[in-house]
Amino acid sequence: MKKKVSILEIVATKIVIALLVAGYYWMWSRSDWMPEYRQYSAYFGGFLFLILLAHYHRAHKYKKERFDELAIKTLHKCDAICLKVLTVLMVIVAYAGGILGHVNAMSTAMMGWLIIGSIIAIAMLRTMLFLILNSKGV
């Protein structure tokens, strides 16, 4: 890990983290619980924790290096766009849960999956937006 840290690495790692969080949620939201799932869940959670530590270390190292100010501004633009998109998605999930919950058409597990799916979608959207906007130099 002696190489320089790029901001693209920091941004793209969020997709891996979102996928690992989705996998960890899947382990806990299963209805057919078997005794070995506890061990799988522990391994998955440990791996997620290690990835988070590695990501923190790389992000901390990036802040100490000389970084690209234009890329940072581009990332802030991407974050602003993604915040608005995520807000709309969460309002839709909340209203769908409230409306469909009255007729038992949506369970809490389904709402959880919608939230996890939104997190994955936002992580991917953020990375794609960053790649597009950074390549144009916006």
Side-chain angles (χ1 to χ4, degrees), residues 37-56:
Y37 287 168
R38 177 177 286 173
Q39 187 176 10
Y40 297 155
S41 177
Y43 291 149
F44 217 87
F47 185 64
L48 175 61
F49 183 73
L50 289 176
I51 292 292
L52 287 171
L53 280 178
H55 175 71
Y56 171 77

Side-chain angles (χ1 to χ4, degrees), residues 1 7-8 11 17 58 62 92-93 96 106-108 119 126:
M1 291 196 164
I7 192 158
L8 181 60
V11 172
I17 292 170
R58 297 296 283 172
Y62 177 75
I92 290 170
V93 169
M106 180 179 274
S107 67
T108 55
I119 291 171
R126 181 179 185 232

